[in-house]
mmCIF file of all heavy atoms in Angstrom:
data_model
loop_
_atom_site.group_PDB
_atom_site.id
_atom_site.type_symbol
_atom_site.label_atom_id
_atom_site.label_comp_id
_atom_site.label_asym_id
_atom_site.label_seq_id
_atom_site.Cartn_x
_atom_site.Cartn_y
_atom_site.Cartn_z
ATOM 1 N N ILE A 27 5.602 -8.456 13.246
ATOM 2 C CA ILE A 27 5.706 -7.728 11.946
ATOM 3 C C ILE A 27 4.703 -8.313 10.978
ATOM 4 O O ILE A 27 4.712 -9.522 10.746
ATOM 5 C CB ILE A 27 7.140 -7.815 11.429
ATOM 6 C CG1 ILE A 27 8.137 -7.100 12.336
ATOM 7 C CG2 ILE A 27 7.237 -7.249 10.018
ATOM 8 C CD1 ILE A 27 9.597 -7.255 11.961
ATOM 9 N N ASP A 28 3.925 -7.422 10.410
ATOM 10 C CA ASP A 28 2.939 -7.858 9.366
ATOM 11 C C ASP A 28 3.670 -7.848 8.040
ATOM 12 O O ASP A 28 4.012 -6.830 7.489
ATOM 13 C CB ASP A 28 1.796 -6.829 9.378
ATOM 14 C CG ASP A 28 0.668 -7.258 8.422
ATOM 15 O OD1 ASP A 28 0.917 -8.129 7.578
ATOM 16 O OD2 ASP A 28 -0.444 -6.688 8.533
ATOM 17 N N LYS A 29 3.901 -9.036 7.480
ATOM 18 C CA LYS A 29 4.716 -9.194 6.280
ATOM 19 C C LYS A 29 3.944 -8.703 5.009
ATOM 20 O O LYS A 29 4.569 -8.625 3.959
ATOM 21 C CB LYS A 29 5.117 -10.647 6.126
ATOM 22 C CG LYS A 29 6.044 -11.150 7.216
ATOM 23 C CD LYS A 29 6.242 -12.637 7.219
ATOM 24 C CE LYS A 29 6.969 -13.109 5.999
ATOM 25 N NZ LYS A 29 7.185 -14.563 6.009
ATOM 26 N N SER A 30 2.671 -8.445 5.135
ATOM 27 C CA SER A 30 1.871 -8.079 3.939
ATOM 28 C C SER A 30 1.901 -6.580 3.622
ATOM 29 O O SER A 30 1.324 -6.151 2.615
ATOM 30 C CB SER A 30 0.457 -8.541 4.130
ATOM 31 O OG SER A 30 -0.194 -7.805 5.194
ATOM 32 N N LEU A 31 2.510 -5.745 4.483
ATOM 33 C CA LEU A 31 2.392 -4.303 4.331
ATOM 34 C C LEU A 31 3.293 -3.705 3.281
ATOM 35 O O LEU A 31 3.045 -2.573 2.814
ATOM 36 C CB LEU A 31 2.663 -3.611 5.684
ATOM 37 C CG LEU A 31 1.602 -4.009 6.745
ATOM 38 C CD1 LEU A 31 2.002 -3.413 8.124
ATOM 39 C CD2 LEU A 31 0.224 -3.443 6.370
ATOM 40 N N GLY A 32 4.381 -4.318 2.909
ATOM 41 C CA GLY A 32 5.226 -3.836 1.828
ATOM 42 C C GLY A 32 6.412 -3.026 2.295
ATOM 43 O O GLY A 32 6.389 -2.465 3.434
ATOM 44 N N ASP A 33 7.425 -2.908 1.455
ATOM 45 C CA ASP A 33 8.638 -2.253 1.802
ATOM 46 C C ASP A 33 8.501 -0.754 2.040
ATOM 47 O O ASP A 33 9.153 -0.170 2.888
ATOM 48 C CB ASP A 33 9.718 -2.472 0.712
ATOM 49 C CG ASP A 33 10.167 -3.916 0.646
ATOM 50 O OD1 ASP A 33 9.949 -4.623 1.637
ATOM 51 O OD2 ASP A 33 10.725 -4.308 -0.380
ATOM 52 N N LYS A 34 7.634 -0.100 1.259
ATOM 53 C CA LYS A 34 7.468 1.344 1.396
ATOM 54 C C LYS A 34 6.929 1.733 2.765
ATOM 55 O O LYS A 34 7.451 2.665 3.418
ATOM 56 C CB LYS A 34 6.492 1.854 0.306
ATOM 57 C CG LYS A 34 6.453 3.391 0.161
ATOM 58 C CD LYS A 34 5.569 3.798 -1.027
ATOM 59 C CE LYS A 34 5.557 5.326 -1.131
ATOM 60 N NZ LYS A 34 4.696 5.740 -2.295
ATOM 61 N N TYR A 35 5.982 0.982 3.260
ATOM 62 C CA TYR A 35 5.423 1.189 4.606
ATOM 63 C C TYR A 35 6.469 0.918 5.647
ATOM 64 O O TYR A 35 6.690 1.721 6.566
ATOM 65 C CB TYR A 35 4.190 0.286 4.767
ATOM 66 C CG TYR A 35 3.487 0.343 6.093
ATOM 67 C CD1 TYR A 35 2.412 1.241 6.244
ATOM 68 C CD2 TYR A 35 3.836 -0.426 7.189
ATOM 69 C CE1 TYR A 35 1.714 1.346 7.435
ATOM 70 C CE2 TYR A 35 3.155 -0.327 8.375
ATOM 71 C CZ TYR A 35 2.110 0.517 8.521
ATOM 72 O OH TYR A 35 1.437 0.604 9.690
ATOM 73 N N TYR A 36 7.142 -0.207 5.509
ATOM 74 C CA TYR A 36 8.207 -0.605 6.482
ATOM 75 C C TYR A 36 9.310 0.421 6.526
ATOM 76 O O TYR A 36 9.703 0.901 7.619
ATOM 77 C CB TYR A 36 8.713 -2.000 6.080
ATOM 78 C CG TYR A 36 9.866 -2.497 6.971
ATOM 79 C CD1 TYR A 36 9.526 -3.103 8.181
ATOM 80 C CD2 TYR A 36 11.192 -2.314 6.632
ATOM 81 C CE1 TYR A 36 10.571 -3.609 9.016
ATOM 82 C CE2 TYR A 36 12.218 -2.775 7.481
ATOM 83 C CZ TYR A 36 11.878 -3.409 8.628
ATOM 84 O OH TYR A 36 12.904 -3.827 9.470
ATOM 85 N N ASN A 37 9.817 0.842 5.404
ATOM 86 C CA ASN A 37 10.945 1.792 5.363
ATOM 87 C C ASN A 37 10.542 3.174 5.893
ATOM 88 O O ASN A 37 11.361 3.849 6.538
ATOM 89 C CB ASN A 37 11.485 1.916 3.938
ATOM 90 C CG ASN A 37 12.168 0.652 3.465
ATOM 91 O OD1 ASN A 37 12.683 -0.120 4.264
ATOM 92 N ND2 ASN A 37 12.142 0.386 2.136
ATOM 93 N N TYR A 38 9.318 3.557 5.643
ATOM 94 C CA TYR A 38 8.808 4.858 6.137
ATOM 95 C C TYR A 38 8.891 4.905 7.670
ATOM 96 O O TYR A 38 9.391 5.840 8.285
ATOM 97 C CB TYR A 38 7.398 5.091 5.665
ATOM 98 C CG TYR A 38 6.740 6.375 6.172
ATOM 99 C CD1 TYR A 38 6.801 7.552 5.425
ATOM 100 C CD2 TYR A 38 6.003 6.382 7.382
ATOM 101 C CE1 TYR A 38 6.178 8.716 5.857
ATOM 102 C CE2 TYR A 38 5.402 7.534 7.822
ATOM 103 C CZ TYR A 38 5.531 8.682 7.067
ATOM 104 O OH TYR A 38 4.907 9.846 7.539
ATOM 105 N N ILE A 39 8.413 3.839 8.325
ATOM 106 C CA ILE A 39 8.384 3.789 9.760
ATOM 107 C C ILE A 39 9.787 3.616 10.330
ATOM 108 O O ILE A 39 10.149 4.272 11.316
ATOM 109 C CB ILE A 39 7.453 2.674 10.241
ATOM 110 C CG1 ILE A 39 5.987 3.064 9.901
ATOM 111 C CG2 ILE A 39 7.557 2.454 11.776
ATOM 112 C CD1 ILE A 39 4.927 2.041 10.255
ATOM 113 N N VAL A 40 10.568 2.728 9.755
ATOM 114 C CA VAL A 40 11.933 2.558 10.225
ATOM 115 C C VAL A 40 12.778 3.833 10.164
ATOM 116 O O VAL A 40 13.485 4.193 11.099
ATOM 117 C CB VAL A 40 12.670 1.444 9.453
ATOM 118 C CG1 VAL A 40 14.153 1.419 9.706
ATOM 119 C CG2 VAL A 40 12.072 0.067 9.793
ATOM 120 N N ASN A 41 12.637 4.539 9.037
ATOM 121 C CA ASN A 41 13.373 5.816 8.928
ATOM 122 C C ASN A 41 12.873 6.847 9.927
ATOM 123 O O ASN A 41 13.658 7.607 10.487
ATOM 124 C CB ASN A 41 13.214 6.380 7.478
ATOM 125 C CG ASN A 41 13.969 5.543 6.461
ATOM 126 O OD1 ASN A 41 14.954 4.907 6.787
ATOM 127 N ND2 ASN A 41 13.509 5.590 5.223
ATOM 128 N N TYR A 42 11.532 6.844 10.165
ATOM 129 C CA TYR A 42 10.997 7.800 11.132
ATOM 130 C C TYR A 42 11.562 7.473 12.541
ATOM 131 O O TYR A 42 11.984 8.374 13.254
ATOM 132 C CB TYR A 42 9.476 7.665 11.142
ATOM 133 C CG TYR A 42 8.804 8.478 12.241
ATOM 134 C CD1 TYR A 42 8.776 9.831 12.173
ATOM 135 C CD2 TYR A 42 8.287 7.845 13.360
ATOM 136 C CE1 TYR A 42 8.149 10.601 13.214
ATOM 137 C CE2 TYR A 42 7.714 8.574 14.401
ATOM 138 C CZ TYR A 42 7.659 9.933 14.295
ATOM 139 O OH TYR A 42 7.083 10.654 15.321
ATOM 140 N N ILE A 43 11.570 6.185 12.938
ATOM 141 C CA ILE A 43 12.075 5.823 14.262
ATOM 142 C C ILE A 43 13.544 6.183 14.368
ATOM 143 O O ILE A 43 13.997 6.738 15.382
ATOM 144 C CB ILE A 43 11.864 4.310 14.501
ATOM 145 C CG1 ILE A 43 10.380 3.982 14.594
ATOM 146 C CG2 ILE A 43 12.588 3.870 15.772
ATOM 147 C CD1 ILE A 43 10.081 2.480 14.589
ATOM 148 N N ASN A 44 14.318 5.874 13.333
ATOM 149 C CA ASN A 44 15.743 6.181 13.363
ATOM 150 C C ASN A 44 16.010 7.691 13.551
ATOM 151 O O ASN A 44 16.855 8.134 14.354
ATOM 152 C CB ASN A 44 16.416 5.728 12.095
ATOM 153 C CG ASN A 44 16.563 4.204 12.027
ATOM 154 O OD1 ASN A 44 16.506 3.542 13.051
ATOM 155 N ND2 ASN A 44 16.790 3.636 10.891
ATOM 156 N N ASN A 45 15.246 8.505 12.788
ATOM 157 C CA ASN A 45 15.436 9.982 12.861
ATOM 158 C C ASN A 45 15.047 10.523 14.224
ATOM 159 O O ASN A 45 15.720 11.383 14.759
ATOM 160 C CB ASN A 45 14.594 10.676 11.764
ATOM 161 C CG ASN A 45 15.134 10.400 10.378
ATOM 162 O OD1 ASN A 45 16.296 10.125 10.198
ATOM 163 N ND2 ASN A 45 14.237 10.512 9.392
ATOM 164 N N LYS A 46 13.989 9.966 14.825
ATOM 165 C CA LYS A 46 13.475 10.531 16.123
ATOM 166 C C LYS A 46 14.320 10.009 17.290
ATOM 167 O O LYS A 46 14.310 10.653 18.364
ATOM 168 C CB LYS A 46 12.013 10.173 16.292
ATOM 169 C CG LYS A 46 11.082 10.737 15.267
ATOM 170 C CD LYS A 46 11.218 12.250 15.150
ATOM 171 C CE LYS A 46 10.850 12.998 16.416
ATOM 172 N NZ LYS A 46 11.017 14.444 16.289
ATOM 173 N N THR A 47 14.969 8.882 17.155
ATOM 174 C CA THR A 47 15.686 8.327 18.285
ATOM 175 C C THR A 47 17.212 8.353 18.118
ATOM 176 O O THR A 47 17.920 7.729 18.926
ATOM 177 C CB THR A 47 15.244 6.849 18.554
ATOM 178 O OG1 THR A 47 15.611 6.054 17.431
ATOM 179 C CG2 THR A 47 13.721 6.784 18.784
ATOM 180 N N GLU A 48 17.696 9.040 17.124
ATOM 181 C CA GLU A 48 19.146 8.975 16.836
ATOM 182 C C GLU A 48 19.984 9.592 17.935
ATOM 183 O O GLU A 48 21.191 9.345 18.070
ATOM 184 C CB GLU A 48 19.467 9.699 15.522
ATOM 185 C CG GLU A 48 19.121 11.126 15.480
ATOM 186 C CD GLU A 48 19.394 11.759 14.085
ATOM 187 O OE1 GLU A 48 19.937 11.070 13.246
ATOM 188 O OE2 GLU A 48 19.035 12.947 13.902
ATOM 189 N N HIS A 49 19.373 10.450 18.810
ATOM 190 C CA HIS A 49 20.114 11.054 19.919
ATOM 191 C C HIS A 49 20.275 10.114 21.110
ATOM 192 O O HIS A 49 20.949 10.472 22.092
ATOM 193 C CB HIS A 49 19.413 12.362 20.358
ATOM 194 C CG HIS A 49 18.099 12.157 20.982
ATOM 195 N ND1 HIS A 49 17.019 11.679 20.295
ATOM 196 C CD2 HIS A 49 17.624 12.342 22.246
ATOM 197 C CE1 HIS A 49 15.953 11.600 21.077
ATOM 198 N NE2 HIS A 49 16.307 11.995 22.269
ATOM 199 N N LEU A 50 19.635 8.968 21.048
ATOM 200 C CA LEU A 50 19.639 8.008 22.128
ATOM 201 C C LEU A 50 20.551 6.820 21.825
ATOM 202 O O LEU A 50 20.455 6.221 20.772
ATOM 203 C CB LEU A 50 18.231 7.493 22.444
ATOM 204 C CG LEU A 50 17.184 8.589 22.730
ATOM 205 C CD1 LEU A 50 15.780 7.964 22.788
ATOM 206 C CD2 LEU A 50 17.481 9.273 24.079
ATOM 207 N N THR A 51 21.423 6.440 22.758
ATOM 208 C CA THR A 51 22.303 5.310 22.566
ATOM 209 C C THR A 51 21.767 4.062 23.287
ATOM 210 O O THR A 51 22.076 2.944 22.852
ATOM 211 C CB THR A 51 23.696 5.622 23.126
ATOM 212 O OG1 THR A 51 23.607 5.869 24.528
ATOM 213 C CG2 THR A 51 24.312 6.815 22.414
ATOM 214 N N SER A 52 21.004 4.213 24.333
ATOM 215 C CA SER A 52 20.447 3.083 25.080
ATOM 216 C C SER A 52 19.250 2.498 24.301
ATOM 217 O O SER A 52 18.339 3.221 23.982
ATOM 218 C CB SER A 52 20.031 3.537 26.474
ATOM 219 O OG SER A 52 19.105 2.609 27.030
ATOM 220 N N TYR A 53 19.244 1.175 24.122
ATOM 221 C CA TYR A 53 18.132 0.525 23.448
ATOM 222 C C TYR A 53 16.843 0.732 24.221
ATOM 223 O O TYR A 53 15.799 0.962 23.637
ATOM 224 C CB TYR A 53 18.395 -0.972 23.303
ATOM 225 C CG TYR A 53 17.169 -1.748 22.843
ATOM 226 C CD1 TYR A 53 16.703 -1.639 21.537
ATOM 227 C CD2 TYR A 53 16.479 -2.534 23.758
ATOM 228 C CE1 TYR A 53 15.550 -2.261 21.149
ATOM 229 C CE2 TYR A 53 15.316 -3.208 23.374
ATOM 230 C CZ TYR A 53 14.858 -3.054 22.087
ATOM 231 O OH TYR A 53 13.716 -3.713 21.680
ATOM 232 N N HIS A 54 16.873 0.659 25.531
ATOM 233 C CA HIS A 54 15.647 0.730 26.321
ATOM 234 C C HIS A 54 15.085 2.170 26.337
ATOM 235 O O HIS A 54 13.860 2.335 26.457
ATOM 236 C CB HIS A 54 15.880 0.230 27.755
ATOM 237 C CG HIS A 54 16.174 -1.248 27.739
ATOM 238 N ND1 HIS A 54 17.420 -1.778 27.949
ATOM 239 C CD2 HIS A 54 15.351 -2.316 27.536
ATOM 240 C CE1 HIS A 54 17.359 -3.084 27.834
ATOM 241 N NE2 HIS A 54 16.148 -3.449 27.659
ATOM 242 N N SER A 55 15.952 3.184 26.206
ATOM 243 C CA SER A 55 15.438 4.547 26.044
ATOM 244 C C SER A 55 14.807 4.683 24.650
ATOM 245 O O SER A 55 13.752 5.278 24.527
ATOM 246 C CB SER A 55 16.540 5.564 26.209
ATOM 247 O OG SER A 55 16.873 5.720 27.564
ATOM 248 N N ARG A 56 15.462 4.120 23.665
ATOM 249 C CA ARG A 56 14.879 4.183 22.290
ATOM 250 C C ARG A 56 13.543 3.412 22.274
ATOM 251 O O ARG A 56 12.609 3.830 21.590
ATOM 252 C CB ARG A 56 15.877 3.558 21.288
ATOM 253 C CG ARG A 56 17.154 4.313 21.125
ATOM 254 C CD ARG A 56 18.028 3.688 20.064
ATOM 255 N NE ARG A 56 17.480 3.940 18.775
ATOM 256 C CZ ARG A 56 17.672 3.143 17.699
ATOM 257 N NH1 ARG A 56 18.392 2.035 17.818
ATOM 258 N NH2 ARG A 56 17.189 3.460 16.556
ATOM 259 N N GLU A 57 13.480 2.316 22.975
ATOM 260 C CA GLU A 57 12.274 1.524 23.014
ATOM 261 C C GLU A 57 11.111 2.304 23.640
ATOM 262 O O GLU A 57 10.008 2.336 23.098
ATOM 263 C CB GLU A 57 12.555 0.252 23.789
ATOM 264 C CG GLU A 57 11.351 -0.724 23.893
ATOM 265 C CD GLU A 57 11.664 -1.932 24.788
ATOM 266 O OE1 GLU A 57 12.145 -1.691 25.922
ATOM 267 O OE2 GLU A 57 11.434 -3.036 24.367
#
């Protein structure tokens, strides 16, 4: 994790991953 990128960048990507993988329960499928 690049700590210099800021919360806005981090939250944008985390929210995107959550939205796209919410139908998956297995961590390795989400990965």
Side-chain angles (χ1 to χ4, degrees):
I27 295 175
D28 185 344
K29 295 169 66 177
S30 67
L31 294 173
D33 291 342
K34 191 174 180 181
Y35 181 91
Y36 178 83
N37 291 333
Y38 177 92
I39 292 177
V40 167
N41 289 336
Y42 173 74
I43 294 170
N44 287 342
N45 290 336
K46 297 305 298 180
T47 64
E48 63 183 354
H49 67 294
L50 302 171
T51 60
S52 160
Y53 168 74
H54 293 105
S55 284
R56 296 183 72 206
E57 181 184 51

